[in-house]
Amino acid sequence: MRILPLVAFAVAAAQLPAQWALMAPASSPSARRAGAAAFDAAGNRLLFVGGIQPSPSTILGQTWSWNGTVWTQLSPAGGTIPRWGHGLVRNTQNNRLITFGGRSPTLSAYASDTQEWTGSAWQTIVTANAPSARHLYGFAYDSARNRAVLFGGRTSTQTLADTWEYDGVNWTQRTTFDTPPARQEMSMVYDASLRRVVLFGGQDQSTSTIYNDTWFYDGANWQPVAPASSPTPRYRMASAYDSVRQRTVLYGGFDGANVLTDTYEFNGSNWATVTTGNPLPGASTETLHGYDPVRRKFVVFGGFGTTFSSQTWEYTGANSGYFGTFGAGCPTALGEPTLSSNTPRINSTWTITISNLPVDCEFVLIPYGLSNTNSTLGPLPVDLAAIGLSGCSLNVANDFVAAQLTSNGTATSSLVIPNTTALVNTFLYAQAVLLDIVPGVGTALTAVSPGGRALLGQQ
């Protein structure tokens, strides 16, 4: 057993459970649904924009902020154009918030305008091209490519399946080889750790289809994902990317018959149900929601359950570790070698198991790394054709390489993880490279596994 060199200060930390908490501000915005929210880093606050309030149904032209304690209605110069059914994302390069279209400026009208929050006012951005007028679309900001990504949504007559990107100047429609089926009211976030937009669920009103599929978008193509487990089919749910714990959080939604009140997290490979106990937000459809990375809270306001809500809820997730695979392996006659793992956490031994190995495979090399983007061999993935593995790729950095003997088609490799709280919510990567001993020739590389991705949790 070898210890991967990881340097940080060592202090023990206890694992706290995930929980929802009902907040009690002195005053709140009126009850509403179908608005949008995003984090404003310059103001260190979440901004909540628009929506519909009941009795009588009224479209709202309001901008509110929530700092974790106090709600404040803002008075931007020029006001806030009323809208609902829109998305709101933050450009992480200039901290401008971006929204598009929705139902605006009246309750039943459709818009195709682009608006940006400057920090004190909403500014109309005139673009040469733009998506068609629509609402209930998916919206996420790809911080690696500096693009706001829009997918689908609903016009007055049809549900859409087109992909658009906004670069701060203009909109460009993207044509991809694969694409999710047409839908609206889906979950769509950008997972910075995967460098992928993650889309889940939604519905196609035209065909009365409700989805529970998961898709990735990397800027070039949409890719269907096959998690071992998924939430049940739903739409109108709340979701956000938890950038501190590096996973997507999803809450509630509607399955066509029932208002749902369950919590899920997606770690890049699988969806897992989160047990949070009670109480839970009862208004779990069409909420205004966003993630505050400074306070590390997923915030849900308003929405609809049996009635419209004006409650503020905050979700605190647990710092649990997880392991998943990514990328493609290179198969043997038995298929791809597989990776599995115990739960990676500090102050413990992290063990990965390599399985589905041919009986004549004597050794396995395991590159361990702190990155899945760059290695000493260059940007990842690295084509291994030069060393005899045509069509195979190294998916992880080779900061440290272990060698393990195989037995009965499996091999295991372990690392001792220090009791260092600074390592919580950091990634380690691993991959298996298979070796055979060929008489008279020496060793030969024969196959590789997919990459393995471990997020370190608290002990």
Side-chain angles (χ1 to χ4, degrees):
M1 188 187 316
R2 299 285 297 277
I3 300 176
L4 186 67
L6 301 169
V7 180
F9 57 90
V11 180
Q15 175 69 54
L16 299 176
Q19 62 179 354
W20 284 97
L22 175 61
M23 310 306 289
S27 61
S28 298
S30 60
R32 64 195 62 194
R33 66 175 177 87
F39 184 68
D40 174 19
N44 191 21
R45 59 194 177 179
L46 281 163
L47 259 57
F48 293 74
V49 182
I52 303 172
Q53 68 180 19
S55 302
S57 188
T58 305
I59 186 172
L60 298 170
Q62 297 178 355
T63 301
W64 287 80
S65 69
W66 169 251
N67 64 5
T69 305
V70 176
W71 281 102
T72 303
Q73 185 171 2
L74 306 182
S75 300
T80 302
I81 298 176
R83 72 183 70 229
W84 69 275
H86 56 293
L88 188 66
V89 297
R90 179 170 71 97
N91 181 328
T92 56
Q93 301 302 305
N94 60 16
N95 195 47
R96 285 197 166 201
L97 305 189
I98 306 164
T99 189
F100 170 82
R103 302 294 286 268
S104 177
T106 65
L107 194 65
S108 58
Y110 286 83
S112 61
D113 60 328
T114 302
Q115 297 275 323
E116 292 189 0
W117 173 255
T118 66
S120 60
W122 289 101
Q123 177 182 358
T124 300
I125 307 298
V126 178
T127 60
N129 302 306
S132 58
R134 68 189 69 195
H135 73 323
L136 306 177
Y137 50 82
F139 208 28
Y141 188 79
D142 182 332
S143 57
R145 298 186 308 113
N146 303 327
R147 299 287 188 275
V149 180
L150 182 151
F151 177 80
R154 179 77 186 177
T155 70
S156 60
T157 59
Q158 64 177 324
T159 308
L160 303 169
D162 48 349
T163 302
W164 290 79
E165 293 184 353
Y166 173 67
D167 62 5
V169 177
N170 197 21
W171 288 93
T172 302
Q173 185 172 4
R174 300 301 305 270
T175 301
T176 58
F177 180 79
D178 291 313
T179 189
R183 69 191 65 200
Q184 63 200 62
E185 300 172 283
M186 71 291 282
S187 161
M188 193 164 127
V189 305
Y190 180 71
D191 185 325
S193 71
L194 297 172
R195 303 188 304 283
R196 301 286 188 274
V197 170
V198 179
L199 181 152
F200 171 80
Q203 70 144 339
D204 182 349
Q205 182 178 328
S206 299
T207 62
S208 299
T209 304
I210 304 175
Y211 293 100
N212 73 327
D213 51 347
T214 302
W215 291 76
F216 287 164
Y217 176 70
D218 62 3
N221 196 30
W222 285 97
Q223 175 189 359
V225 184
S229 59
S230 295
T232 54
R234 64 190 65 202
Y235 59 103
R236 297 179 182 168
M237 51 281 197
S239 65
Y241 177 66
D242 184 329
S243 57
V244 175
R245 298 186 309 120
Q246 306 190 74
R247 65 199 87 191
T248 297
V249 180
L250 183 148
Y251 179 72
F254 187 61
D255 66 4
N258 303 295
V259 173
L260 307 172
T261 56
D262 45 0
T263 305
Y264 284 86
E265 293 184 353
F266 180 67
N267 64 19
S269 297
N270 290 306
W271 290 94
T273 304
V274 179
T275 302
T276 59
N278 290 316
L280 295 171
S284 63
T285 73
E286 299 181 284
T287 61
L288 290 73
H289 50 269
Y291 180 71
D292 184 332
V294 176
R295 297 188 309 110
R296 305 183 180 188
K297 304 290 185 182
F298 176 38
V299 181
V300 172
F301 171 76
F304 185 81
T306 56
T307 61
F308 279 67
S309 171
S310 61
Q311 293 182 337
T312 305
W313 290 81
E314 293 190 341
Y315 171 79
T316 304
N319 288 320
S320 53
Y322 64 74
F323 178 81
T325 58
F326 66 95
C330 203
T332 69
L334 298 178
E336 283 189 358
T338 61
L339 295 182
S340 59
S341 164
N342 61 345
T343 300
R345 53 172 61 95
I346 62 171
N347 196 32
S348 68
T349 299
W350 172 43
T351 299
I352 61 172
T353 300
I354 306 99
S355 305
N356 199 36
L357 304 178
V359 293
D360 59 350
C361 174
E362 291 89 356
F363 291 94
V364 176
L365 295 179
I366 303 97
Y368 287 96
L370 302 175
S371 170
N372 67 337
T373 59
N374 290 286
S375 73
T376 58
L377 301 177
L380 295 168
V382 172
D383 188 347
L384 298 178
I387 56 174
L389 288 176
S390 178
C392 302
S393 297
L394 178 69
N395 295 320
V396 308
N398 55 334
D399 297 315
F400 166 81
V401 179
Q404 300 292 336
L405 292 170
T406 66
S407 176
N408 299 319
T410 64
T412 60
S413 182
S414 298
L415 293 176
V416 174
I417 308 300
N419 186 14
T420 305
T421 55
L423 298 178
V424 174
N425 294 322
T426 61
F427 283 108
L428 293 178
Y429 300 91
Q431 191 173 9
V433 181
L434 279 59
L435 285 83
D436 283 343
I437 298 177
V438 181
V441 177
T443 57
L445 304 179
T446 60
V448 299
S449 72
R453 180 172 176 263
L455 184 75
L456 300 182
Q458 290 178 332
Q459 64 185 72

